[in-house]
Amino acid sequence: MDLRSWLSSGVDAIEEWQATFGPYQRHDSLQISDERFATAFSGFTQRLGENYPFFHPSYAGQMLKPPHPAAVAGYLTAMLINPNNHALDGGPATARMEKEAVAQLAQMFGLATHLGHLTTSGTMANLEALYVARELHPRRGIAYSAEAHYTHSRMCGVLGVEGTAVAVDGAGRLDLGALDALLAGGSIGTVVATAGTTGLGAIDPVHEVLAIARAHGVRVHVDAAYGGFFTLLAGADGPAGLREAPWRAIAECDSVVVDPHKHGLQPYGCGAVLFSDPDVGRFYLHDSPYTYFTSGDLHLGEISLECSRAGAAAAALWLTFELLPPTPDGLGRVLAAGRRAALDWAQLLSDSGRLELYQRPELDIVCYFPAASPPSLSTVDQASARMLAEGMADPAHPVYLSTLRVTADAFGRRHPGVAADRDGARILRSVLMKPEAENVVAELHARIEQLAGGS
Ligand SMILES: Cc1ncc(COP(=O)(O)O)c(C=O)c1O
């Protein structure tokens, strides 16, 4: 699709709609000449050039990529109206789009019933789930793995709930023995399982967590902010297919968070939380004398902690789902490419003399480290930091990676031959969330091998 022309069609469509309400004069105070705008805009676009090239295959660092052009066209077109999805009074069309898009997400996870909405981020979405967890079990705490996103502990602090980090196994997944022992104590009301950890992309065994939790009368929330859309690959044929059990179990859990602004091709400002029991809506009851007056239907603000939220975010997601729905044949194909890229690269890393695979990727996040000499955490740490800096600074063939700090214990469980001469080390981490990664893995690997060799 030609983004330039569709953006212009978006402006036309909104201007045509506006014209149906009759002419009006914009206020003088808002008038800006094209000449002045040109100067400011030129400085602005120059400042934007200070970014890293998230769009390019040479950017193989963090969880970052531009949105799909369809999402851009949807967002910008709706933004010309600037609806607010807090209430049907502020965003009637986009609030309906949000409900439809959220229903598609519920269907993707196989939820039989749901209550949910979009949020501005994964952090806010998890906060909503933890808030409901607290309301249901006011005197019991929340458990999550030691490798869960750092905001779970922070949000427990915000909510005044005790948060407990549970040990992980040798692959970065929640340790079931440790969880069982903790839950047996009776102090935990909700456990958070992460389907795709931020660091390694590890998938907690949601089905087994669920069985243990239910045996102790404990609720389960799934943080699938990063990994959620990978449920589309559960049981799929071919190398990209994922083991079904953890993904299918999400349908039986109490809540789930997924971020369309990560793997749903959306711009930032688009997370989502879904509860399997619509009755939890009672915890959101509030009085808002200035809203909820145009319709007796459910207003999204009646079931969200946040008030104002961009209707444009819902519009972008809805339009994207019209074209690339959250189905195995739609978005699933996009995710499968990144997953194949990760597996192909893992193979190259396993065969490499200069680089070593940290652990086999479960999703599309690949972690690796230079085969430093002598092999110790100090040499690995220094070489990783050097490669990160040299890769970004190379004017001719830049490559952008990220680092992950791992503990000596975690490293030693995977690579006992590397001397633990300090308490941890930085290793290299690449999130292959652009499907184009599939076509450049060999090139990327060769470039990073060069960096490992000092060139
Ligand atoms: C598993 C997981 N949960 C939560 C978050 C927080 O999401 P956000 O950055 O959208 O607030 C992230 C972000 O990377 C994540 O990976």
Side-chain angles (χ1 to χ4, degrees):
M1 57 176 282
D2 175 6
L3 179 61
R4 207 177 291 267
S5 108
W6 286 112
L7 288 180
S8 155
S9 301
V11 174
D12 289 346
I14 301 305
E15 283 184 353
E16 271 168 38
W17 172 75
Q18 287 172 337
T20 65
F21 296 93
Y24 78 109
Q25 189 79 42
R26 267 181 91 77
H27 195 272
D28 275 355
S29 62
L30 299 172
Q31 300 300 343
I32 285 163
S33 70
D34 275 332
E35 199 186 6
R36 272 190 64 212
F37 185 78
T39 309
F41 197 64
S42 150
F44 164 73
T45 50
Q46 208 166 348
R47 292 283 294 270
L48 289 182
E50 292 162 17
N51 274 296
Y52 301 113
F54 309 122
F55 70 98
H56 197 271
S58 65
Y59 184 87
Q62 305 264 36
M63 296 167 172
L64 284 156
K65 65 173 180 180
H68 192 279
V72 176
Y75 197 104
L76 292 179
T77 304
M79 198 185 64
L80 294 174
I81 298 171
N82 204 20
N84 183 336
N85 272 17
H86 167 69
L88 289 160
D89 328 317
T94 49
R96 280 180 210 113
M97 289 181 192
E98 176 165 332
K99 289 180 192 176
E100 287 170 34
V102 168
Q104 285 176 281
L105 292 175
Q107 199 175 5
M108 175 179 84
F109 288 118
L111 297 178
T113 54
H114 76 275
L115 183 80
H117 59 87
L118 300 181
T119 61
T120 49
S121 68
T123 301
M124 289 308 297
N126 279 314
L127 172 65
E128 301 241 4
L130 301 191
Y131 162 72
V132 167
R134 185 195 70 180
E135 296 304 291
L136 282 164
H137 291 303
R139 277 172 290 281
R140 288 158 74 185
I142 294 173
Y144 38 78
S145 101
E147 300 214 2
H149 197 262
Y150 75 90
T151 49
H152 288 288
S153 146
R154 172 179 283 182
M155 290 306 169
C156 280
V158 169
L159 292 166
V161 173
E162 184 159 2
T164 304
V166 183
V168 290
D169 66 14
R173 297 181 287 227
L174 220 157
D175 184 300
L176 297 173
L179 179 70
D180 193 31
L182 175 69
L183 299 193
S187 63
I188 301 294
T190 297
V191 55
V192 178
T194 304
T197 59
T198 316
L200 299 169
I203 302 162
D204 286 344
V206 181
H207 53 302
E208 290 168 287
V209 169
L210 184 67
I212 293 171
R214 293 298 188 238
H216 294 289
V218 168
R219 300 174 68 256
V220 179
H221 166 61
V222 182
D223 178 0
Y226 184 72
F229 287 101
F230 280 95
T231 193
L232 299 171
L233 303 184
D237 291 337
L242 298 176
R243 199 163 70 104
E244 278 188 274
W247 302 103
R248 300 288 176 241
I250 294 176
E252 311 304 321
C253 293
D254 299 288
S255 51
V256 58
V257 155
V258 60
D259 273 0
H261 71 200
K262 292 191 171 69
H263 259 303
L265 307 174
Q266 299 308 295
Y268 284 114
C270 196
V273 61
L274 292 92
F275 296 94
S276 57
D277 176 9
D279 240 25
V280 300
R282 68 188 185 278
F283 297 121
Y284 289 91
L285 273 183
H286 60 274
D287 190 23
S288 174
Y290 16 74
T291 52
Y292 314 142
F293 46 78
T294 53
S295 167
D297 289 351
L298 179 76
H299 299 258
L300 290 161
E302 293 181 285
I303 54 156
S304 330
L305 289 182
E306 292 176 274
C307 180
S308 296
R309 252 186 327 98
L317 184 62
W318 185 90
L319 184 58
T320 307
F321 279 178
E322 287 292 290
L323 303 151
L324 292 162
T327 57
D329 291 340
L331 260 182
R333 290 183 53 228
V334 181
L335 279 104
R339 172 84 188 120
R340 284 192 299 267
L343 292 176
D344 289 350
W345 198 3
Q347 187 59 50
L348 292 171
L349 288 161
S350 301
D351 297 341
S352 170
R354 288 186 170 181
L355 296 168
E356 287 200 42
L357 183 64
Y358 181 68
Q359 74 169 44
R360 191 176 158 75
E362 288 198 69
L363 296 177
D364 57 357
I365 300 177
V366 186
C367 292
Y368 48 97
F369 57 95
S373 172
S376 72
L377 292 184
S378 297
T379 52
V380 165
D381 183 80
Q382 280 160 20
S384 298
R386 175 188 61 75
M387 288 169 64
L388 177 87
E390 287 180 5
M392 289 199 298
D394 184 335
H397 300 107
V399 62
Y400 303 84
L401 311 173
S402 68
T403 57
L404 174 67
R405 203 159 12 84
V406 296
T407 63
D409 176 54
F411 202 108
R413 287 170 92 165
R414 294 158 174 91
H415 302 278
V418 175
D421 60 347
R422 44 182 286 168
D423 63 358
R426 281 167 291 180
I427 60 170
L428 293 162
R429 167 173 168 271
S430 288
V431 180
L432 302 178
M433 68 192 311
K434 296 188 287 281
E436 295 81 13
E438 186 173 29
N439 308 325
V440 297
V441 154
E443 214 178 299
L444 203 56
H445 175 74
R447 178 72 193 98
I448 297 167
E449 271 198 327
Q450 268 178 2
L451 281 174
S455 53

